Coordinates of all heavy atoms in Angstrom, one line a residue:
M30 N 109.7 102.2 106.0 CA 109.6 103.0 107.2 C 108.2 102.9 107.9 O 108.1 102.9 109.1 CB 110.0 104.4 106.9 CG 111.4 104.7 106.6 SD 111.8 106.4 106.1 CE 111.1 107.3 107.4
C31 N 107.2 102.9 107.1 CA 105.9 103.0 107.6 C 105.5 101.7 108.4 O 104.8 101.8 109.4 CB 104.9 103.2 106.5 SG 105.0 104.7 105.6
H32 N 106.0 100.6 108.0 CA 105.6 99.3 108.6 C 106.7 98.9 109.6 O 106.5 97.8 110.2 CB 105.4 98.2 107.6 CG 104.3 98.6 106.6 ND1 103.0 98.5 106.9 CD2 104.3 99.0 105.3 CE1 102.2 98.9 105.9 NE2 103.0 99.2 104.9
G33 N 107.7 99.6 109.8 CA 108.8 99.3 110.8 C 109.8 98.3 110.3 O 109.4 97.5 109.4
P34 N 111.0 98.4 110.8 CA 112.0 97.5 110.4 C 111.7 96.0 110.6 O 112.2 95.1 109.9 CB 113.3 97.9 111.1 CG 112.8 98.7 112.3 CD 111.4 99.2 111.9
A35 N 110.9 95.7 111.6 CA 110.6 94.3 111.9 C 109.2 94.0 111.5 O 108.6 92.9 111.9 CB 110.8 94.0 113.4
G36 N 108.5 94.8 110.7 CA 107.2 94.6 110.2 C 106.1 94.7 111.3 O 105.0 94.3 111.2
R37 N 106.5 95.4 112.4 CA 105.6 95.5 113.6 C 104.8 96.8 113.6 O 104.2 97.1 114.6 CB 106.4 95.4 114.9 CG 107.1 94.1 115.1 CD 106.1 93.1 115.6 NE 106.7 91.8 115.7 CZ 106.0 90.7 115.7 NH1 104.7 90.7 115.6 NH2 106.7 89.6 115.8
G38 N 104.8 97.5 112.5 CA 104.0 98.7 112.4 C 104.7 100.0 112.8 O 105.8 100.0 113.2
G39 N 103.9 101.0 112.8 CA 104.4 102.4 113.1 C 103.3 103.2 112.5 O 102.2 103.2 113.0
A40 N 103.6 104.0 111.5 CA 102.6 104.7 110.8 C 101.7 103.8 110.0 O 100.6 104.1 109.7 CB 103.3 105.8 109.9
G41 N 102.3 102.7 109.5 CA 101.5 101.7 108.7 C 101.1 100.5 109.6 O 101.5 100.3 110.7
A42 N 100.4 99.6 108.9 CA 99.9 98.4 109.6 C 101.0 97.4 110.0 O 102.0 97.5 109.4 CB 98.9 97.7 108.6
V43 N 100.7 96.6 110.9 CA 101.6 95.5 111.3 C 101.6 94.5 110.2 O 100.5 94.0 109.8 CB 101.2 94.9 112.6 CG1 102.0 93.6 112.9 CG2 101.3 95.9 113.8
L44 N 102.7 94.1 109.7 CA 102.9 93.1 108.6 C 103.3 91.8 109.2 O 103.1 90.7 108.6 CB 103.8 93.5 107.5 CG 103.4 94.8 106.8 CD1 104.5 95.2 105.7 CD2 102.1 94.6 106.1
A45 N 104.0 91.8 110.3 CA 104.5 90.6 111.0 C 103.4 89.7 111.4 O 102.4 90.2 112.0 CB 105.4 90.9 112.1
E46 N 103.4 88.4 111.0 CA 102.4 87.4 111.4 C 101.0 87.9 111.1 O 100.1 87.8 111.9 CB 102.6 87.1 112.8 CG 104.0 86.5 113.1 CD 104.3 86.2 114.6 OE1 103.6 86.7 115.4 OE2 105.3 85.5 114.8
N47 N 100.8 88.5 109.9 CA 99.5 89.1 109.6 C 98.8 88.2 108.6 O 99.2 88.0 107.5 CB 99.8 90.5 108.9 CG 98.5 91.2 108.6 OD1 97.4 90.6 108.4 ND2 98.6 92.5 108.5
E48 N 97.7 87.6 109.1 CA 97.0 86.6 108.3 C 96.3 87.2 107.1 O 96.0 86.4 106.1 CB 95.9 85.9 109.2 CG 96.6 85.0 110.3 CD 95.6 84.3 111.2 OE1 94.4 84.5 111.0 OE2 96.0 83.7 112.1
K49 N 96.1 88.5 107.0 CA 95.5 89.1 105.9 C 96.4 88.9 104.6 O 95.9 89.0 103.5 CB 95.2 90.6 106.1 CG 94.1 90.8 107.1 CD 93.8 92.3 107.2 CE 92.7 92.6 108.2 NZ 92.5 94.1 108.4
L50 N 97.7 88.8 104.9 CA 98.6 88.6 103.7 C 98.5 87.3 103.0 O 99.0 87.1 101.9 CB 100.0 88.8 104.2 CG 100.3 90.2 104.9 CD1 101.8 90.2 105.4 CD2 100.1 91.3 103.9
A51 N 97.7 86.4 103.6 CA 97.4 85.1 102.9 C 96.5 85.3 101.7 O 96.5 84.5 100.8 CB 96.8 84.1 103.9
D52 N 95.8 86.4 101.7 CA 94.8 86.8 100.7 C 95.5 87.5 99.6 O 95.8 88.7 99.7 CB 93.7 87.6 101.3 CG 92.6 87.9 100.3 OD1 92.8 87.8 99.0 OD2 91.5 88.3 100.7
D53 N 95.9 86.9 98.5 CA 96.7 87.5 97.4 C 95.9 88.7 96.8 O 96.5 89.7 96.5 CB 97.1 86.5 96.4 CG 95.9 85.7 95.8 OD1 95.1 85.3 96.5 OD2 95.9 85.6 94.6
E54 N 94.6 88.6 96.7 CA 93.9 89.7 96.1 C 93.9 90.9 97.0 O 94.1 92.0 96.5 CB 92.4 89.2 95.8 CG 91.6 90.3 95.1 CD 90.2 89.9 94.7 OE1 89.9 88.7 94.9 OE2 89.5 90.7 94.2
F55 N 93.8 90.7 98.3 CA 93.8 91.8 99.2 C 95.2 92.5 99.2 O 95.2 93.7 99.1 CB 93.6 91.3 100.7 CG 93.8 92.3 101.7 CD1 92.9 93.3 102.0 CD2 95.0 92.3 102.4 CE1 93.2 94.3 103.0 CE2 95.3 93.3 103.4 CZ 94.4 94.3 103.6
L56 N 96.2 91.8 99.2 CA 97.6 92.4 99.1 C 97.8 93.1 97.8 O 98.3 94.2 97.8 CB 98.6 91.3 99.4 CG 100.1 91.8 99.3 CD1 100.3 92.9 100.3 CD2 101.0 90.6 99.5
A57 N 97.5 92.5 96.7 CA 97.7 93.1 95.4 C 96.8 94.4 95.3 O 97.3 95.5 94.9 CB 97.4 92.2 94.3
M58 N 95.6 94.3 95.7 CA 94.6 95.4 95.6 C 95.1 96.6 96.5 O 95.1 97.7 96.0 CB 93.2 95.0 96.0 CG 92.2 96.1 95.8 SD 91.6 96.2 94.1 CE 90.7 94.8 93.9
T59 N 95.5 96.3 97.7 CA 96.0 97.3 98.6 C 97.2 98.0 98.1 O 97.3 99.2 98.1 CB 96.2 96.7 100.0 OG1 95.0 96.1 100.5 CG2 96.7 97.8 101.0
T60 N 98.1 97.3 97.5 CA 99.4 97.8 97.0 C 99.1 98.7 95.7 O 99.7 99.8 95.6 CB 100.4 96.8 96.8 OG1 100.5 96.0 98.0 CG2 101.8 97.4 96.5
V61 N 98.3 98.2 94.9 CA 98.1 98.9 93.6 C 97.2 100.1 93.8 O 97.5 101.2 93.3 CB 97.4 97.9 92.6 CG1 96.9 98.7 91.3 CG2 98.4 96.8 92.1
H62 N 96.1 99.9 94.5 CA 95.1 101.0 94.6 C 95.1 101.8 95.9 O 94.4 102.8 96.0 CB 93.7 100.4 94.4 CG 93.6 99.8 93.1 ND1 93.5 100.5 91.9 CD2 93.4 98.5 92.7 CE1 93.4 99.7 90.9 NE2 93.3 98.5 91.3
G63 N 95.8 101.3 96.9 CA 95.9 102.0 98.2 C 94.7 101.6 99.1 O 93.7 101.0 98.6
F64 N 94.8 101.9 100.4 CA 93.7 101.5 101.3 C 93.9 102.3 102.6 O 95.0 102.2 103.2 CB 93.7 100.0 101.6 CG 92.7 99.5 102.5 CD1 91.4 99.4 102.0 CD2 93.0 99.2 103.8 CE1 90.4 98.9 102.9 CE2 92.0 98.7 104.7 CZ 90.7 98.6 104.2
G65 N 92.9 103.1 103.0 CA 93.1 103.8 104.2 C 94.3 104.8 104.1 O 94.4 105.6 103.2
Y66 N 95.3 104.6 105.0 CA 96.5 105.5 105.0 C 97.5 105.0 104.0 O 98.5 105.7 103.7 CB 97.1 105.5 106.4 CG 96.3 106.4 107.3 CD1 95.6 105.8 108.3 CD2 96.4 107.7 107.3 CE1 94.9 106.5 109.2 CE2 95.7 108.5 108.2 CZ 94.9 107.9 109.2 OH 94.2 108.6 110.1
M67 N 97.3 103.7 103.5 CA 98.3 103.2 102.5 C 98.1 103.8 101.2 O 97.0 103.8 100.6 CB 98.0 101.7 102.4 CG 98.8 100.9 101.3 SD 100.4 100.6 101.8 CE 101.0 99.7 100.4
P68 N 99.2 104.5 100.7 CA 99.1 105.1 99.4 C 99.1 104.1 98.3 O 99.5 102.9 98.4 CB 100.4 105.9 99.3 CG 101.3 105.2 100.2 CD 100.5 104.6 101.3
A69 N 98.5 104.4 97.1 CA 98.5 103.6 95.9 C 99.9 103.6 95.3 O 100.5 104.7 95.2 CB 97.4 104.1 95.0
F70 N 100.4 102.5 94.8 CA 101.6 102.4 94.2 C 101.5 102.0 92.7 O 102.5 101.8 92.0 CB 102.6 101.5 94.9 CG 103.1 102.1 96.2 CD1 102.5 101.8 97.4 CD2 104.2 102.9 96.2 CE1 103.0 102.3 98.6 CE2 104.7 103.5 97.3 CZ 104.1 103.2 98.5
G71 N 100.3 101.7 92.3 CA 100.0 101.2 90.9 C 100.5 102.1 89.8 O 100.9 101.7 88.7
D72 N 100.6 103.4 90.1 CA 101.0 104.4 89.1 C 102.5 104.5 89.1 O 103.1 105.2 88.2 CB 100.3 105.7 89.2 CG 100.6 106.4 90.6 OD1 101.1 105.7 91.5 OD2 100.4 107.6 90.7
R73 N 103.2 103.9 90.0 CA 104.7 104.1 90.2 C 105.4 102.8 90.0 O 106.6 102.8 89.8 CB 105.0 104.7 91.5 CG 104.5 106.1 91.7 CD 104.8 106.7 93.0 NE 103.7 106.5 93.8 CZ 103.6 106.8 95.1 NH1 104.6 107.3 95.7 NH2 102.5 106.6 95.8
L74 N 104.8 101.7 90.2 CA 105.5 100.4 90.2 C 104.8 99.5 89.1 O 103.6 99.5 88.9 CB 105.4 99.7 91.5 CG 106.0 100.4 92.7 CD1 105.8 99.7 94.0 CD2 107.5 100.6 92.5
T75 N 105.6 98.6 88.5 CA 105.1 97.7 87.5 C 104.5 96.5 88.3 O 104.6 96.3 89.5 CB 106.3 97.1 86.7 OG1 107.2 96.3 87.5 CG2 107.1 98.2 86.0
N76 N 103.8 95.7 87.5 CA 103.2 94.5 88.1 C 104.2 93.6 88.7 O 104.0 93.0 89.8 CB 102.4 93.7 87.0 CG 101.1 94.4 86.6 OD1 100.7 95.4 87.2 ND2 100.6 94.0 85.4
N77 N 105.3 93.5 88.0 CA 106.4 92.7 88.5 C 107.0 93.2 89.8 O 107.3 92.5 90.8 CB 107.5 92.5 87.5 CG 108.6 91.5 87.9 OD1 108.2 90.3 88.1 ND2 109.8 91.9 88.1
D78 N 107.2 94.5 89.9 CA 107.7 95.2 91.1 C 106.8 94.9 92.3 O 107.3 94.5 93.4 CB 107.8 96.7 91.0 CG 108.8 97.2 90.0 OD1 109.8 96.4 89.7 OD2 108.6 98.3 89.5
I79 N 105.5 95.0 92.1 CA 104.5 94.8 93.2 C 104.5 93.3 93.6 O 104.4 93.0 94.7 CB 103.1 95.3 92.8 CG1 103.2 96.8 92.7 CG2 102.1 94.8 93.7 CD1 102.0 97.5 92.1
A80 N 104.6 92.4 92.6 CA 104.6 91.0 92.9 C 105.9 90.6 93.7 O 105.8 89.9 94.7 CB 104.6 90.2 91.6
E81 N 107.0 91.2 93.4 CA 108.2 90.9 94.1 C 108.2 91.5 95.6 O 108.5 90.8 96.5 CB 109.4 91.5 93.4 CG 109.8 90.7 92.2 CD 111.0 91.3 91.4 OE1 111.5 92.4 91.8 OE2 111.4 90.6 90.5
I82 N 107.7 92.7 95.7 CA 107.5 93.2 97.0 C 106.5 92.4 97.8 O 106.7 92.1 99.0 CB 107.0 94.7 96.9 CG1 108.2 95.6 96.4 CG2 106.6 95.3 98.3 CD1 107.7 96.9 95.9
G83 N 105.4 92.1 97.2 CA 104.3 91.3 97.9 C 104.9 89.9 98.3 O 104.6 89.4 99.4
T84 N 105.7 89.3 97.5 CA 106.3 88.0 97.8 C 107.2 88.1 99.0 O 107.2 87.3 99.9 CB 107.0 87.4 96.6 OG1 106.1 87.2 95.6 CG2 107.7 86.1 96.9
Y85 N 108.0 89.2 99.0 CA 108.9 89.4 100.2 C 108.1 89.6 101.5 O 108.4 89.0 102.5 CB 109.7 90.7 99.9 CG 110.6 91.1 101.1 CD1 111.8 90.4 101.4 CD2 110.2 92.1 102.0 CE1 112.5 90.7 102.5 CE2 111.0 92.4 103.1 CZ 112.1 91.7 103.3 OH 112.9 92.0 104.4
I86 N 107.0 90.4 101.4 CA 106.2 90.7 102.6 C 105.5 89.4 103.1 O 105.4 89.1 104.3 CB 105.2 91.8 102.3 CG1 105.9 93.1 102.1 CG2 104.1 91.8 103.4 CD1 105.0 94.2 101.5
R87 N 105.0 88.6 102.1 CA 104.3 87.4 102.5 C 105.2 86.3 103.1 O 104.7 85.3 103.6 CB 103.6 86.8 101.2 CG 102.5 87.7 100.7 CD 101.8 87.1 99.5 NE 101.0 86.0 99.9 CZ 100.1 85.4 99.1 NH1 100.1 85.7 97.9 NH2 99.4 84.4 99.6
N88 N 106.5 86.5 103.0 CA 107.4 85.5 103.5 C 108.5 86.0 104.4 O 109.5 85.4 104.6 CB 108.1 84.8 102.3 CG 107.1 84.0 101.4 OD1 106.7 83.0 101.9 ND2 106.7 84.6 100.3
S89 N 108.2 87.1 105.1 CA 109.0 87.8 106.1 C 108.3 87.9 107.4 O 107.1 87.9 107.4 CB 109.5 89.1 105.6 OG 110.2 89.0 104.4
W90 N 109.1 88.1 108.4 CA 108.5 88.5 109.8 C 107.5 87.4 110.3 O 106.5 87.8 110.8 CB 107.9 89.9 109.7 CG 108.7 90.9 109.2 CD1 110.0 91.3 109.6 CD2 108.5 91.7 108.0 NE1 110.5 92.3 108.8 CE2 109.6 92.6 107.8 CE3 107.4 91.8 107.1 CZ2 109.6 93.5 106.8 CZ3 107.5 92.7 106.1 CH2 108.6 93.5 105.9
G91 N 107.8 86.2 110.1 CA 106.9 85.1 110.6 C 105.8 84.7 109.6 O 105.0 83.9 109.9
N92 N 105.7 85.4 108.5 CA 104.7 85.0 107.5 C 105.2 83.9 106.6 O 106.4 83.8 106.3 CB 104.4 86.2 106.6 CG 103.8 87.4 107.4 OD1 103.0 87.2 108.2 ND2 104.3 88.6 107.1
D93 N 104.4 83.1 106.1 CA 104.7 82.0 105.2 C 103.6 81.7 104.2 O 102.8 80.7 104.4 CB 105.1 80.7 106.0 CG 105.6 79.6 105.1 OD1 106.0 79.9 104.0 OD2 105.6 78.4 105.5
Y94 N 103.4 82.7 103.3 CA 102.2 82.6 102.4 C 102.5 82.4 101.0 O 101.7 82.6 100.1 CB 101.3 83.9 102.6 CG 100.8 84.0 104.1 CD1 101.2 85.1 104.8 CD2 100.0 83.0 104.6 CE1 100.8 85.2 106.1 CE2 99.6 83.2 105.9 CZ 100.0 84.3 106.7 OH 99.5 84.4 108.0
G95 N 103.8 82.2 100.6 CA 104.1 81.9 99.3 C 104.2 83.2 98.4 O 104.3 84.3 98.9
A96 N 104.3 83.0 97.1 CA 104.5 84.0 96.2 C 103.2 84.8 95.8 O 102.1 84.2 95.8 CB 105.1 83.5 94.9
L97 N 103.4 86.1 95.5 CA 102.4 86.9 94.9 C 102.9 87.0 93.4 O 104.0 87.4 93.2 CB 102.3 88.3 95.5 CG 101.2 89.2 94.9 CD1 99.8 88.7 95.2 CD2 101.4 90.6 95.5
T98 N 102.0 86.6 92.5 CA 102.5 86.6 91.1 C 102.1 87.8 90.3 O 101.2 88.6 90.7 CB 101.9 85.3 90.4 OG1 100.5 85.6 90.2 CG2 102.1 84.0 91.1
T99 N 102.9 88.0 89.2 CA 102.6 89.1 88.4 C 101.2 89.0 87.8 O 100.5 90.1 87.7 CB 103.6 89.1 87.2 OG1 104.9 89.2 87.8 CG2 103.4 90.3 86.3
D100 N 100.7 87.8 87.5 CA 99.3 87.7 87.0 C 98.3 88.1 88.0 O 97.3 88.7 87.7 CB 99.1 86.2 86.6 CG 99.8 85.9 85.3 OD1 100.2 86.8 84.5 OD2 100.0 84.6 85.1
Q101 N 98.5 87.8 89.3 CA 97.6 88.2 90.4 C 97.5 89.7 90.5 O 96.5 90.2 90.7 CB 98.0 87.5 91.7 CG 97.8 86.0 91.7 CD 98.5 85.4 92.9 OE1 99.6 85.7 93.3 NE2 97.8 84.4 93.5
V102 N 98.7 90.3 90.3 CA 98.7 91.8 90.4 C 98.0 92.4 89.2 O 97.1 93.3 89.3 CB 100.1 92.3 90.5 CG1 100.1 93.9 90.4 CG2 100.8 91.8 91.7
R103 N 98.2 91.8 88.0 CA 97.6 92.3 86.8 C 96.1 92.2 86.9 O 95.4 93.1 86.4 CB 98.1 91.5 85.6 CG 97.6 91.9 84.3 CD 98.1 91.1 83.1 NE 99.6 91.2 83.0 CZ 100.4 90.1 83.2 NH1 99.9 88.9 83.5 NH2 101.7 90.2 83.2
E104 N 95.6 91.2 87.5 CA 94.1 91.0 87.6 C 93.4 92.1 88.4 O 92.3 92.4 88.2 CB 93.8 89.6 88.3 CG 94.1 88.5 87.3 CD 93.8 87.1 88.0 OE1 93.1 87.1 89.1 OE2 94.4 86.1 87.5
V105 N 94.1 92.7 89.4 CA 93.5 93.7 90.2 C 93.6 95.1 89.6 O 93.0 96.0 90.1 CB 93.9 93.7 91.7 CG1 93.7 92.4 92.3 CG2 95.4 94.2 91.8
R106 N 94.5 95.2 88.6 CA 94.6 96.6 88.0 C 93.3 96.8 87.2 O 92.8 97.8 87.0 CB 95.8 96.6 87.0 CG 97.1 96.8 87.7 CD 98.1 97.4 86.8 NE 99.4 97.3 87.4 CZ 100.0 98.3 88.0 NH1 99.5 99.5 88.0 NH2 101.2 98.1 88.5

């Protein structure tokens, strides 16, 4: 809901065609620890959950940045 059905934003940042998503550490860190208005999900989601969500985001709405791995998420915890 926060990022909109087409990833074009709303209460949250625009995810569609967002070059910041190419940075795996940025995406994992933001999802695990939160950033600005983005809440932290590290206490509610597993490394695998976050990796799967990150992979989806990195390859949707005009993005083509490949997978976010469980190991990459684990490194930022």
Side-chain angles (χ1 to χ4, degrees):
M30 288 178 51
C31 294
H32 299 284
R37 295 281 175 203
V43 172
L44 298 177
E46 300 173 346
N47 186 333
E48 293 179 5
K49 289 182 181 179
L50 299 175
D52 182 345
D53 55 315
E54 185 175 354
F55 170 80
L56 178 57
M58 185 78 72
T59 301
T60 308
V61 171
H62 300 291
F64 181 76
Y66 289 104
M67 172 78 177
F70 287 96
D72 61 342
R73 294 179 265 176
L74 299 174
T75 67
N76 291 343
N77 189 62
D78 293 337
I79 292 171
E81 287 180 353
I82 292 166
T84 297
Y85 175 79
I86 291 167
R87 290 180 78 173
N88 294 286
S89 298
W90 310 301
N92 298 315
D93 186 18
Y94 301 118
L97 182 66
T98 69
T99 302
D100 288 339
Q101 290 167 323
V102 176
R103 184 179 301 114
E104 288 177 18
V105 303
R106 277 203 196 261

